[in-house]
């Protein structure tokens, strides 16, 4: 049997679609973990990025923190928190949030800071105050970059959420871990799980393209 | 000589940029292509070095069809200067200038020596050689662009709106510099601009293009201002072409009078006598070195003591002066308009007063060059009114 | 677990050579090779995509899909072909760097302003000479900006390779720290060394860029900024 047929058969086997360990449940679990981690990261990173970008202060610190977080090995973060907090969802969330913060933070900061000073000058000249400049000018103009940061973070989180299975939690990573542990490795199960992760990543890319259509001011769409 | 014979350029989308252009560009002179945007002037220029190839017709340089040569080889013999200078951001000034010599296989020492020579020629400082383009002002970058185009001493120089991105003061000085360079180098220059003022200032001849790629008129700039071929050209030249045309006539033929010029040591009585004798209501007072001090009018003279010296009286300012040997009728007219006495003061190279001329006499001089058949070469045309 | 010291200095001293030193060397090898191979692949891919525009969208889609495959899965998927060798880690990690490097190469090649490109052509530069003497040098700051992101990402991602048993600092974290004793010291040593290595390589790349592109010295901020908001980070 060719590798392609093996994977196809795995997808066609009704047993793989049923029950708590079936594809639909694992897929939803994966979405839940990823969405929660992305939400927490966005709630932390977007306000900080807007603030540092708008005031021009703390930008260096924000970018440094992001660089540091990017250099952290995710596996290391995961196991430190497992040792400290035990096996549950907390280590997974800490690791994924640490992963998702850098792209969101850097892109929000750069997006706001990159707004043409002439535009800011015009906004202040028309009598806008700081918060109004941020809300009416900087946020909409920075939106394409912020969305790009969120998308990058989402793809990375979805891909990395598979390691959740290594600390005994669910999601699509289960197929990778369980496939690996079956003898010399169940190729079809590992490949099938990977295909599902890629499908989810593509769905998210499409979702972001749609969000871009609605969230961007028409003049900023390209 | 660069010759365009029935040259047309039609782009794939169907727009006609140049329509059957016939033109001769004389060797060693500056020919300016001018016209509104979309008139085909830049396309015509770019067909000379084959950045664009014509759909029809032949362009030849000294009789040889440009399409007979390899484009890269051809371009190395034609200097090219463009609006934003097009300098390589990753190369020093000296290496930018030496680009074409390097391409031609010159040794580094020889190429750099040539580049240093050119830096001096275009007015750049030797210590700028190791700088990078972004460290220079726009005007300096444009000088580098000109130096780079001249590096391999090409007989032909193509300039595509080279000065339109710099401020007016810098532009004027770059234009002066180009005139000075050209007086020394005698290149065959083809210069594209949308600014008629620039065209008239720089061109030995000016080719006016109209939208759709047709040539409206080719002429000496003075003739262009005097006799526009049609309404389009007249409209394009603008409203004060008559006054601007005076730039092409020297002021040295003006009848200057020195009999109403008096020294500071002369008395009021002498000045009153002068006014009476010549029927002139103003006298010009000069310092001991014959530089102008100011005007004294008849009322002021009447009110003063007859024995008083002119140097002790307050004079009206003399406005600005014109240099008799170099300046044009336009400068003289301007000086007379701005003078409180309605008279322009002509000076020599040292700033000493040669004489003064009244608006009425200027009027006669302008009248005499007003003829449509005037030949500026015989009348001592000047290239600019600077 | 609860009452162990955060850092056990004795353990570090006794294990300094092996496994700490050997893991570090392995980690360096496993991250350096993918960055090198990634650059060697990204340059021709980027040049082709920049020259022949219709190629770019499919290339970009391709490298982005690769980027979305979990690294742990990709390690397992290449395992049958590479058996247990360093290539099991090197091939997937190389493919991941492409998602960062290819767009940076293409963007960098697009940095040459149109007027500069025209001036080059007008002076008699052919396409190949223009690529080598104008387009590529101007692209260097962008390519290095991409290399910085890719190397930080790769160095942190190599740790995942240990889940497949391929060595590197991840082995220290996983085997010494987690599976054996739930012992924090090796995990923290692994994290610190990995982060330090990432910062060191990042710093070296900054120095390399200063040396290679003297013309950007007083506006290197601009080049760095232009490349900063690119997709970044590590798929695991």
């Amino acid at each position: 049997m060719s590798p392609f047929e093996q994977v196809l058969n795995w997808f066609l086997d009704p047993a793989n679609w049923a029950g708590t360990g079936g594809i639909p449940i694992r897929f939803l679990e994966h979405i839940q973990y990823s969405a929660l981690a992305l939400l927490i990261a966005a709630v932390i990173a977007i306000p900080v990025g807007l603030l540092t970008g708008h005031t021009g202060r703390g930008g260096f610190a924000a970018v440094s923190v992001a660089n540091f977080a990017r250099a952290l090995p995710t596996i290391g973060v995961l196991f430190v928190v497992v040792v400290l907090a035990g096996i549950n969802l907390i280590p997974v969330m800490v690791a994924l949030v640490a992963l998702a913060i850098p792209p969101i933070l850097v892109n929000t900061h750069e997006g706001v800071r990159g707004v043409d000073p002439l535009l800011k000058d015009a906004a202040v000249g028309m009598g806008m105050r700081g918060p109004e400049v941020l809300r009416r000018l900087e946020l909409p103009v920075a939106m394409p970059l912020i969305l790009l940061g969120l998308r990058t973070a989402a793809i990375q989180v979805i891909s990395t959420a598979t390691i959740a299975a290594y600390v005994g939690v669910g999601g699509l990573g289960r197929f990778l871990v369980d496939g690996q542990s079956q003898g010399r490795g169940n190729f079809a199960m590992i490949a099938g799980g990977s295909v599902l992760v890629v499908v989810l990543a593509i769905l998210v890319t499409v979702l972001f393209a749609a969000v871009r259509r609605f969230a961007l001011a028409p003049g900023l769409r390209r | 000589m660069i010759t365009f014979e029935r040259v047309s350029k039609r782009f794939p989308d169907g727009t006609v940029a140049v329509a059957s252009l016939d033109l001769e560009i004389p060797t060693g002179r500056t020919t300016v292509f001018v016209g509104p945007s979309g008139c085909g002037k830049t396309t015509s220029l770019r067909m000379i070095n084959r950045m664009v190839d014509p759909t029809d017709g032949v362009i030849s340089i000294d009789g040889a069809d440009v399409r007979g040569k390899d484009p890269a080889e051809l371009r190395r013999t034609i200097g090219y200067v463009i609006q934003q200078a097009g300098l390589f951001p990753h190369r020093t000034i000296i290496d930018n200038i030496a680009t074409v010599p390097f391409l031609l296989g010159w040794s580094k020492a020889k190429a750099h020596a040539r580049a240093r020579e050119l830096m001096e020629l275009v007015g750049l400082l030797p210590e700028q050689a190791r700088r990078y383009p972004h460290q220079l002002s726009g005007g300096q970058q444009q000088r580098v662009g000109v130096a780079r185009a001249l590096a391999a001493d090409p007989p032909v120089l193509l300039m595509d709106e080279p000065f339109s991105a710099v401020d007016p003061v810098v532009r004027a000085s770059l234009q002066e510099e180009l005139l000075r360079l050209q007086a020394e180098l005698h290149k065959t220059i083809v210069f594209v601009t949308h600014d008629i003022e620039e065209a008239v200032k720089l061109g030995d001849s000016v080719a006016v293009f109209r939208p759709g790629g047709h040539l409206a008129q080719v002429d000496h700039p003075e003739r262009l201002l005097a006799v526009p071929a049609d309404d389009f050209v007249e409209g394009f030249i603008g409203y004060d072409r008559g006054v601007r045309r005076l730039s092409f006539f020297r002021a040295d033929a003006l009848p200057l009078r020195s009999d109403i010029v008096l020294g500071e040591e002369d008395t009021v009585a002498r000045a009153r006598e002068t006014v009476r004798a010549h029927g002139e209501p103003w006298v010009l007072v000069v310092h001991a070195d014959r530089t102008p001090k100011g005007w004294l009018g008849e009322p002021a003279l009447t009110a003063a003591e007859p024995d008083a010296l002119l140097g002790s009286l307050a004079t009206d300012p003399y406005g600005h002066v014109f240099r008799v040997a170099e300046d044009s009728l336009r400068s003289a007219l301007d000086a007379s308009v701005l003078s409180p006495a309605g008279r322009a003061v002509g000076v020599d190279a040292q700033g000493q007063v040669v004489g003064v001329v009244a608006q009425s006499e200027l009027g006669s001089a302008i009248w005499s060059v007003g003829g449509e058949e005037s030949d500026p070469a015989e009348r001592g045309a000047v290239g600019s009114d600077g | 677990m609860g009452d162990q010291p955060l850092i056990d200095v004795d353990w570090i001293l006794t294990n300094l050579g092996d496994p700490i030193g050997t893991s570090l060397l392995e980690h360096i090898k496993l991250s350096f090779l993918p960055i090198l191979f990634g650059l060697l692949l990204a340059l021709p891919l980027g040049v082709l995509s920049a020259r022949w525009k219709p190629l770019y969208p499919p290339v970009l889609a391709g490298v982005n899909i690769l980027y979305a495959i979990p690294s742990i899965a990709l390690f397992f998927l290449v395992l049958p072909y590479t058996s247990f060798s360093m290539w099991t880690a090197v091939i997937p990690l190389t493919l991941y760097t492409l998602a960062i490097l290819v767009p940076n190469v293409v963007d960098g090649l697009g940095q040459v302003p149109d007027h500069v490109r025209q001036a080059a052509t007008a002076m008699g530069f052919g396409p190949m000479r223009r690529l080598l003497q104008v387009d590529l040098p101007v692209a260097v700051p962008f390519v290095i900006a991409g290399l910085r992101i890719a190397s930080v990402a790769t160095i942190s991602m190599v740790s995942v390779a240990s889940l497949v048993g391929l060595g590197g600092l991840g082995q220290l974290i996983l085997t010494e720290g987690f599976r054996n004793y739930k012992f924090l010291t090796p995990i923290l040593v692994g994290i610190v060394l990995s982060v330090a290595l990432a910062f060191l390589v990042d710093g070296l790349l900054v120095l390399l860029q200063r040396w290679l592109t003297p013309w950007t010295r007083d506006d290197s901020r601009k080049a760095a900024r232009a490349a900063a908001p690119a997709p970044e980070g590590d798929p695991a």
Side-chain angles (χ1 to χ4, degrees):
Chain A
M1 226 179 357
S2 76
F4 179 76
E5 283 170 305
Q6 290 178 37
V7 177
L8 193 66
N9 285 340
W10 184 78
F11 272 108
L12 292 176
D13 184 350
N16 290 329
W17 291 82
T20 49
I23 293 172
I25 301 288
R26 294 294 183 219
F27 204 76
L28 284 178
E29 283 172 350
H30 205 89
I31 293 176
Q32 281 173 4
Y33 301 156
S34 305
L36 183 60
L38 194 66
L39 186 71
I40 296 172
V43 165
I44 297 170
I46 292 181
V48 173
L50 288 178
L51 199 69
T52 58
H54 176 71
T55 60
R57 265 171 299 200
F60 180 76
V63 172
S64 302
V65 166
N67 275 336
F68 178 75
R70 207 185 288 150
L72 281 175
T74 306
I75 295 283
V77 176
L78 183 72
F79 288 130
V80 167
V81 186
V82 167
V83 170
L84 295 177
I87 291 192
N88 51 46
L89 209 53
I90 293 175
V92 177
M93 281 303 137
V94 171
L96 293 182
V97 168
L99 183 73
I101 282 180
I104 305 176
L105 179 57
V106 169
N107 279 28
T108 306
H109 172 78
E110 291 290 339
V112 173
R113 203 175 63 130
V115 174
D116 189 341
L118 283 177
L119 292 180
K120 282 189 255 186
D121 214 47
V124 174
M126 286 184 287
M128 288 192 194
R129 296 194 176 86
E132 286 162 334
V133 174
L134 187 60
R135 194 168 61 85
R136 290 172 186 268
L137 172 71
E138 291 171 326
L139 187 60
V141 173
M143 193 52 85
L145 264 187
I146 296 176
L147 285 177
L148 181 66
L150 281 171
R151 193 189 74 185
T152 307
I155 302 291
Q156 288 176 15
V157 164
I158 287 168
S159 168
T160 310
T162 50
I163 60 169
Y166 280 84
V167 291
V169 204
L172 293 171
R174 282 255 64 90
F175 295 124
L176 307 184
V177 174
D178 297 346
Q180 184 196 359
S181 60
Q182 291 174 11
R184 249 196 80 92
N186 181 340
F187 176 84
M189 192 183 254
I190 297 172
S194 307
V195 167
L196 288 170
V197 174
V198 173
V199 166
L200 185 54
I202 292 174
L203 284 179
V204 165
T205 307
V206 172
L207 177 72
F208 269 93
V211 168
R212 213 180 129 87
R213 291 202 146 239
F214 290 107
L216 284 199
L220 292 167
R221 287 180 206 148
R222 277 191 301 154
Chain B
M1 176 146 67
I2 302 170
T3 320
F4 284 73
E5 283 174 86
R6 293 184 310 283
V7 172
S8 299
K9 176 65 191 179
R10 185 190 310 273
F11 284 108
D13 65 357
T15 45
V16 176
V18 179
S20 195
L21 174 67
D22 282 299
L23 183 64
E24 287 186 349
I25 295 166
T27 303
R29 310 295 289 274
T30 303
T31 301
V32 181
F33 293 178
V34 67
S37 49
C39 70
K41 55 189 192 296
T42 294
T43 307
S44 299
L45 177 95
R46 288 159 61 88
M47 287 193 288
I48 298 173
N49 66 352
R50 298 195 56 191
M51 300 286 278
V52 174
D53 273 329
T55 2
D56 279 304
V58 176
I59 298 166
S60 49
I61 300 179
D62 295 329
D65 187 339
V66 292
R67 276 180 295 179
K69 292 175 194 160
D70 170 64
E73 295 289 329
L74 172 77
R75 289 169 189 154
R76 289 173 200 180
T77 65
I78 299 177
Y80 188 58
V81 186
I82 54 178
Q83 190 177 350
Q84 290 125 320
L87 302 182
F88 293 164
H90 60 297
R91 289 197 182 166
T92 56
I93 299 309
I94 192 165
D95 282 338
N96 259 292
I97 297 174
T99 303
V100 176
F102 282 142
L103 282 178
L104 295 171
W106 294 21
S107 73
K108 190 170 176 179
K110 189 180 167 201
H112 275 186
R114 172 68 179 154
R116 288 188 190 284
E117 196 180 303
L118 283 161
M119 285 185 70
E120 197 188 328
L121 183 71
V122 300
L124 290 164
L125 302 170
E127 58 264 31
Q128 291 171 323
R130 299 283 165 205
R131 299 262 177 88
Y132 287 97
H134 71 89
Q135 297 169 310
L136 266 52
S137 70
Q140 288 170 332
Q141 289 185 20
Q142 209 47 261
R143 284 169 197 265
V144 177
V146 173
R148 183 171 70 170
L150 291 170
D153 204 15
V156 177
L157 204 55
L158 306 181
M159 307 182 82
D160 188 1
E161 306 209 12
F163 306 148
S164 53
V166 293
D167 71 66
V169 175
V170 174
R171 188 183 314 149
S173 82
L174 287 169
Q175 288 167 345
E176 291 300 328
E177 202 86 340
L178 182 65
L179 287 168
R180 181 181 65 75
L181 277 175
Q182 174 66 342
E184 202 174 313
L185 301 173
H186 302 292
K187 298 288 178 189
T188 306
I189 298 179
V190 186
F191 191 106
V192 165
T193 179
H194 56 254
D195 175 5
I196 186 72
E197 199 82 50
E198 183 169 68
V200 163
K201 182 173 177 181
L202 297 177
D204 295 313
S205 76
V206 175
V208 184
F209 285 68
R210 74 167 91 241
H214 297 274
L215 198 55
Q217 185 172 3
V218 190
D219 236 320
H220 180 278
E222 180 272 323
R223 202 91 68 119
L224 190 74
L225 294 172
V227 205
D230 56 23
D231 289 349
F232 169 77
V233 178
E234 178 156 24
F236 185 74
I237 291 170
Y239 57 92
D240 56 352
R241 66 182 172 91
V243 175
R244 276 194 251 154
R245 177 172 164 268
L246 295 177
S247 305
F248 292 91
F249 301 92
R250 281 204 186 137
D252 58 0
L254 285 172
L256 294 177
R257 55 191 303 173
S258 54
D259 48 9
I260 57 168
V261 178
L262 296 174
E264 285 179 303
E265 72 290 351
D266 286 317
T267 60
V268 169
R270 166 98 199 273
R272 285 184 189 160
E273 179 57 30
T274 305
V275 166
R276 235 189 327 278
H278 299 290
E280 282 283 337
W282 295 90
V283 294
L284 180 73
V285 183
V286 295
H287 296 122
D289 62 0
R290 290 206 54 87
T291 55
K293 178 180 192 301
W295 291 101
L296 273 174
E298 210 173 357
L301 288 171
T302 313
E305 289 294 317
D307 295 340
L309 297 183
L310 296 182
S312 66
L313 301 182
T315 53
D316 287 332
Y318 58 87
H320 68 171
V321 298
F322 67 96
R323 287 164 298 164
V324 176
E326 298 142 61
D327 283 346
S328 65
L329 280 183
R330 187 177 174 179
S331 301
L333 178 63
D334 192 51
S336 79
V337 169
L338 292 174
S339 163
R343 284 149 178 78
V345 179
V347 298
D348 61 15
Q350 283 74 46
Q352 297 178 344
V353 174
V354 177
V356 298
V357 58
Q359 275 168 8
S360 57
E361 285 142 357
L362 260 169
S364 314
I366 291 167
W367 177 256
S368 76
V369 301
E372 313 281 89
E373 293 310 308
S374 58
D375 182 341
E378 279 171 25
R379 286 171 185 271
V382 286
S384 80
D385 55 359
Chain C
M1 189 164 109
D3 51 345
Q4 63 169 302
L6 206 57
I7 295 288
D8 182 342
V9 180
D10 288 341
W11 182 88
I12 295 179
L13 291 177
T14 36
N15 294 280
L16 207 52
D18 184 42
I20 297 180
T22 44
S23 300
L24 180 62
L25 285 178
E26 228 164 15
H27 202 94
I28 291 172
K29 186 178 77 178
L30 288 178
S31 45
F32 177 76
L33 288 176
I35 296 164
L36 179 71
F37 293 146
L39 182 63
L40 291 180
L41 278 175
L43 281 177
L45 266 178
V47 167
L48 284 177
S49 303
R51 274 295 152 95
W52 198 53
K53 296 273 190 289
L55 188 65
Y56 189 41
V59 166
L60 196 62
V63 295
N64 279 334
I65 286 179
L66 281 175
Y67 194 70
I69 303 177
S71 58
I72 184 70
L74 206 48
F75 290 143
F76 279 119
L77 294 179
V78 299
L79 197 58
Y81 306 95
T82 57
S83 68
F84 261 102
S85 68
M86 66 169 192
W87 297 106
T88 316
V90 170
I91 292 173
L93 293 173
T94 300
L95 295 177
Y96 289 131
T97 63
L98 294 182
I100 297 162
L101 290 176
V102 170
N104 271 55
V105 172
V106 173
D107 288 351
L109 290 174
Q111 284 310 302
V112 178
D114 198 43
H115 60 100
V116 174
R117 201 162 286 178
Q118 292 210 8
T121 308
M123 283 186 293
F125 278 64
M128 199 61 198
R129 188 189 290 274
R130 208 188 75 197
L131 175 69
L132 292 177
Q133 295 188 2
V134 183
D135 293 353
L136 278 178
V138 171
V140 166
F142 283 74
V143 176
I144 293 190
L147 273 180
R148 289 177 60 190
I149 297 172
S151 56
V152 170
T154 305
I155 288 169
S156 80
M157 226 190 312
V158 169
S159 300
V160 179
S162 62
L163 291 178
V164 200
L166 292 171
L169 291 168
Q171 208 68 39
L172 202 62
I173 294 170
L174 199 68
T175 317
E176 297 297 324
F178 187 65
R179 287 207 183 124
N180 293 0
Y181 330 100
K182 300 240 187 303
F183 179 29
L184 264 186
T185 304
I187 302 181
L188 291 176
V189 168
I191 293 176
V192 167
L193 285 178
S194 178
V195 170
L197 183 63
F199 280 13
L200 177 71
V201 170
D202 194 53
L204 289 177
L205 283 171
V206 170
L207 291 180
L208 179 72
Q209 194 210 315
R210 293 238 173 114
W211 180 67
L212 280 179
T213 63
W215 65 89
T216 60
R217 242 166 237 172
D218 51 339
D219 67 354
S220 55
R221 236 167 48 92
K222 210 173 90 192
R225 253 195 73 187
E232 62 222 350
D234 50 329

